Amino acid sequence: EVSSQNARKYRTEKASKSTSGYEINPKGGYIRAALYIKNRSVNMPVKLSHILCSLMFETAEGDLVPVNSFYLKNQDYSDFEVSVYGGSEFGPYVVELNGLNTAEIEKAITAGYVPKIFIVDYQMTHVADSNYRSTLLNFTGDNLKIIEENAKGRTSLIKIYGPNIREAYRVAAFEITGDTGCNAKNATGFKPGITLREALNRIACSGVEIQYQDYVIDLSDIAPTLGDSRIYVKGIKSIGGVANTVPFTEVTSVGSDGAQRTAYVQTPFSQLTDDQKKASGVWAIFSKGKYYNMTEYLLFNNSKVYFDPTNPRKASVLQGVDSKIWAGDYFDIVYISASDYIKSQESFGTSPLETAVITPINTAWDLPSLGEQPYNPNVNSTFLGTAGFGEKVNLDIKLNKTQYLYPNFGVPVNAGPYSYFQDFSYSRKTVSTLFGLSQIMDFEISLGYNGTRTDWFHIGKDLNNTDPKKPKTCTGSAATSPDIDYVNQTFRVCVQLPTASDIVDPSTALIRLYFRPALNSAYRRTIWPLNYHDVPKLRAYLAGPNDKGVTSLRLSGVYGSVDIGDTLYIAGDSTPYTILTVGDPDTDGATPITVDTQLQTANKKTTQVSIPGTLNAPDVRLSVDNAFYTDWNTLNNANVTSTNYTTALG
């Protein structure tokens, strides 16, 4: 069972046994695990002893919570040791750690933490009568771990993690002259440093198939402000038959250095179908080396080389696996797949209910954020996680900040029977007002079974303590929650989930709990007109980064019109720039322009730009009929009286 299922199972069992009268020892926690030991060598037998382990709990964020460290012991408490011979596998040995703090173990299981036991240290020595000793030349000691230690000064460590692959290799970090390839026997010279490709080729000599491919990666979807959002990189195509599965298109182009290259150009992530996203996977290289730099640019005449120099978003060529690595560097080469990520979410709780991680929520809403199905569970909401029927959920809510939009219509101009308002403005203000429990708890929850208005339950008004098919306020010990902290605006509400259902079987089904602010009109985003001084002729942003001193720009997200002679302003730069030329939109949809003055500042991609408007006065106004108030009061006083109410009710 996955950790989240174990967590729910434990909570359910504990709730059902809470009245059974049983008692748990405060040191009643225990952990069991299976230990396998394998020697992959052919004729290098070793003896392992003094094995030091650490018990840790892994949280959903990947953090490790330390619990205990211990040495492996036999049942008679003597030190555990085993002689492992070449090509042999031993185990499983059962490792049991008991006497753990019961409260800590309960908390970890309830939160869906995953227990892990790590081997952190051990002694490795010769076995009796071993002929391995005679093959170590000048080494006569008994500490075999020193052999790898001595190798660190001339090798790089490469670890490969993928489907059915979990290997670590030490590769000599020297180029050789003379014989090369897998069958090399004689070397005439050594030179420090090799490329990562050469190191992987040496690993391939042991029987692991490794293939390479040049790729153009598009990062604009996930890093819109990144300058070089498209990069050409020499990467890994497959290891051990496990290949990249991200959709690509093969493209051949002549680079800025005159060389012709062929690369697989990645399809932008936003254009992938759901099935393509789920099936995607790629080999990624994580470097912890001191010198290796996979993002090292390929240079030609001291300038960066571009794969497709005529493209508006040309791809810089990176060295990738052709970059140098050195002795002491170490790498993790990992196959990252969407399917593994989805499985990890299923098997390792990542929701707030299981991680207790604070989740920020903005109560503001508008119609576009609700869409056409405003009452679907996943609309403008936060998924809290899955829980069982009858479980109790504590909702801790802290109000961090309250902001209001203060409109101002200005001073009216009276003109006979009408008053005209035309000096519109508004300001955002943060208030320090403290609110009570009934005002703070303006939120609602959905059980995830339907998408109608009645499927959302307001946690302050709609909790029903008589209908078993609806959420209710907690009773019993869970109801005695910590006191309300009015001064710090921290509140807790305990909600007990339904115990019955007409839709699913409560004994086997789960509730997918969603949480969102109530659709209160006080939180609704509204549009107020700008003061006419602030209305620009054009709003846009830079389509790419620009260095200081350039005069050519590309604009994206253009709203309004841009013409020759207009004055352009860039956010963070008070210098006015007169537009000299305006080109047609390029293949990326960006509009190229040139300005009369060199840029006074360097700007990153997505920097806002604008052209001031030409309004000399407001072009709209709000009119109010001055006689409206008089007519209303006259009609109200004549018809809406207590006598009329009494007559109507009688």
Side-chain angles (χ1 to χ4, degrees):
E1 292 180 331
V2 299
S3 60
S4 55
Q5 291 174 332
N6 284 334
R8 287 190 296 270
K9 180 180 178 182
Y10 176 79
R11 295 196 299 265
T12 302
E13 290 178 349
K14 185 175 182 181
S16 64
K17 295 177 181 178
S18 60
T19 58
S20 301
Y22 73 97
E23 183 178 348
I24 300 178
N25 189 295
K27 293 289 186 180
Y30 68 91
I31 298 289
R32 290 197 188 106
L35 171 66
Y36 295 85
I37 302 175
K38 186 175 183 178
N39 187 343
R40 296 179 181 273
S41 69
V42 177
N43 58 353
M44 298 164 58
V46 297
K47 182 172 74 172
L48 302 177
S49 61
H50 296 84
I51 301 175
L52 177 64
C53 302
S54 288
L55 170 64
M56 315 283 281
F57 281 110
E58 186 175 18
T59 69
E61 296 78 33
D63 297 329
L64 293 175
V65 180
V67 180
N68 200 353
S69 291
F70 59 96
Y71 282 98
L72 293 186
K73 301 287 185 179
N74 296 312
Q75 286 186 325
D76 60 359
Y77 294 100
S78 61
D79 287 338
F80 172 80
E81 59 182 38
V82 59
S83 295
V84 187
Y85 296 89
S88 301
E89 182 174 349
F90 296 80
Y93 298 98
V94 177
V95 178
E96 178 177 317
L97 182 63
N98 50 34
L100 301 174
N101 185 292
T102 302
E104 288 185 358
I105 301 300
E106 284 186 334
K107 181 179 178 181
I109 296 176
T110 303
Y113 291 179
V114 178
K116 290 191 173 184
I117 295 179
F118 295 87
I119 296 177
V120 295
D121 194 20
Y122 57 90
Q123 290 185 8
M124 185 168 62
T125 58
H126 286 291
V127 302
D129 305 321
S130 171
N131 61 358
Y132 175 42
R133 189 188 303 270
S134 62
T135 65
L136 296 178
L137 300 178
N138 297 326
F139 181 78
T140 58
D142 203 39
N143 180 10
L144 296 182
K145 291 174 67 177
I146 203 67
I147 296 175
E148 181 178 6
E149 189 67 26
N150 292 336
K152 291 179 180 179
R154 57 183 182 272
T155 60
S156 296
L157 178 62
I158 298 176
K159 296 180 180 180
I160 301 177
Y161 304 94
N164 302 317
I165 303 174
R166 189 180 180 88
E167 301 288 351
Y169 301 91
R170 284 209 167 272
V171 182
F174 291 84
E175 288 184 1
I176 61 172
T177 56
D179 289 352
T180 58
C182 296
N183 298 319
K185 296 181 179 180
N186 299 307
T188 58
F190 295 89
K191 182 179 178 181
I194 59 172
T195 66
L196 181 58
R197 186 194 299 265
E198 291 172 331
L200 293 174
N201 287 341
R202 292 178 183 179
I203 293 175
C205 290
S206 64
V208 180
E209 181 188 25
I210 301 178
Q211 297 180 349
Y212 310 94
Q213 181 63 55
D214 296 349
Y215 296 98
V216 173
I217 307 299
D218 192 336
L219 304 174
S220 57
D221 285 339
I222 59 176
T225 63
L226 187 65
D228 287 342
S229 58
R230 291 177 75 249
I231 55 173
Y232 172 104
V233 63
K234 301 175 182 180
I236 298 172
K237 180 180 180 180
S238 70
I239 298 179
V242 179
N244 297 333
T245 55
V246 176
F248 294 94
T249 302
E250 187 173 340
V251 174
T252 299
S253 178
V254 177
S256 59
D257 59 350
Q260 180 174 292
R261 297 177 176 86
T262 299
Y264 284 5
V265 178
Q266 171 212 337
T267 303
F269 194 76
S270 59
Q271 298 178 17
L272 301 182
T273 65
D274 289 340
D275 290 339
Q276 287 176 323
K277 291 177 182 178
K278 293 177 182 178
S280 62
V282 65
W283 284 102
I285 302 172
F286 298 92
S287 166
K288 298 179 181 178
K290 184 177 180 180
Y291 303 106
Y292 175 77
N293 183 9
M294 191 177 181
T295 59
E296 178 184 356
Y297 288 107
L298 180 66
L299 301 179
F300 179 73
N301 292 334
N302 294 324
S303 298
K304 290 191 296 185
V305 175
Y306 294 100
F307 168 69
D308 46 358
T310 60
N311 191 304
R313 293 193 303 120
K314 50 194 176 186
S316 303
V317 177
L318 305 183
Q319 296 277 26
V321 294
D322 287 338
S323 294
K324 287 281 188 179
I325 71 173
W326 304 85
D329 288 351
Y330 53 104
F331 311 89
D332 292 334
I333 300 177
V334 183
Y335 187 78
I336 301 176
S337 72
S339 60
D340 287 344
Y341 176 73
I342 294 171
K343 289 178 182 177
S344 70
Q345 285 190 312
E346 294 174 350
S347 63
F348 195 71
T350 57
S351 64
L353 278 181
E354 294 169 328
T355 64
V357 172
I358 296 175
T359 303
I361 294 177
N362 188 342
T363 59
W365 63 277
D366 53 25
L367 290 180
S369 66
L370 300 183
E372 297 181 357
Q373 304 291 333
Y375 301 117
N376 280 351
N378 60 342
V379 172
N380 199 41
S381 65
T382 298
F383 175 58
L384 296 184
T386 55
F389 278 80
E391 285 201 85
K392 297 175 182 179
V393 178
N394 276 326
L395 299 173
D396 293 326
I397 299 176
K398 184 179 188 307
L399 180 62
N400 291 328
K401 183 170 61 176
T402 301
Q403 288 184 323
Y404 287 114
L405 194 64
Y406 283 81
N408 187 347
F409 289 88
V411 179
V413 177
N414 292 315
Y418 293 96
S419 294
Y420 297 104
F421 295 84
Q422 57 185 16
D423 190 14
F424 303 115
S425 66
Y426 59 88
S427 60
R428 186 186 299 274
K429 295 184 180 180
T430 301
V431 299
S432 58
T433 306
L434 299 182
F435 298 92
L437 177 64
S438 60
Q439 296 168 300
I440 290 290
M441 291 301 176
D442 200 10
F443 297 91
E444 53 190 17
I445 58 174
S446 168
L447 308 182
Y449 288 136
N450 214 332
T452 63
R453 177 66 190 93
T454 56
D455 293 303
W456 285 94
F457 301 91
H458 193 283
I459 62 175
K461 305 173 184 176
D462 295 339
L463 300 185
N464 191 318
N465 284 14
T466 60
D467 189 344
K469 300 173 185 177
K470 295 182 179 180
K472 64 180 182 180
T473 55
C474 295
T475 57
S477 60
T480 58
S481 301
D483 292 337
I484 294 171
D485 189 347
Y486 176 78
V487 173
N488 292 311
Q489 295 287 272
T490 302
F491 302 86
R492 168 175 289 186
V493 166
C494 181
V495 177
Q496 183 170 0
L497 300 180
T499 56
S501 174
D502 291 331
I503 303 174
V504 297
D505 182 0
S507 63
T508 58
L510 294 173
I511 292 174
R512 297 179 62 83
L513 200 60
Y514 295 85
F515 180 86
R516 75 178 184 184
L519 303 184
N520 190 321
S521 60
Y523 316 139
R524 183 174 176 178
R525 294 189 185 96
T526 54
I527 299 175
W528 289 91
L530 289 171
N531 188 287
Y532 73 91
H533 293 291
D534 301 323
V535 177
K537 177 187 176 186
L538 171 131
R539 290 195 302 267
Y541 58 85
L542 296 179
N546 293 110
D547 296 328
K548 181 179 179 180
V550 303
T551 57
S552 297
L553 310 175
R554 295 171 60 245
L555 306 181
S556 289
V558 174
Y559 184 82
S561 61
V562 54
D563 300 296
I564 295 174
D566 285 343
T567 301
L568 182 79
Y569 286 90
I570 301 175
D573 183 0
S574 59
T575 306
Y577 299 97
T578 301
I579 297 176
L580 299 180
T581 64
V582 179
D584 295 328
D586 56 30
T587 55
D588 249 7
T591 301
I593 65 171
T594 59
V595 294
D596 66 330
T597 306
Q598 294 181 348
L599 295 194
Q600 302 302 301
T601 60
N603 302 285
K604 69 177 184 179
K605 183 181 177 182
T606 70
T607 300
Q608 298 292 322
V609 300
S610 64
I611 296 175
T614 57
L615 293 178
N616 296 317
D619 58 353
V620 293
R621 65 181 182 179
L622 175 67
S623 61
V624 177
D625 186 350
N626 292 332
F628 172 78
Y629 300 108
T630 302
D631 292 344
W632 172 269
N633 291 330
T634 300
L635 293 172
N636 178 74
N637 294 333
N639 298 295
V640 184
T641 64
S642 58
T643 304
N644 291 340
Y645 278 121
T646 304
T647 303
L649 292 173

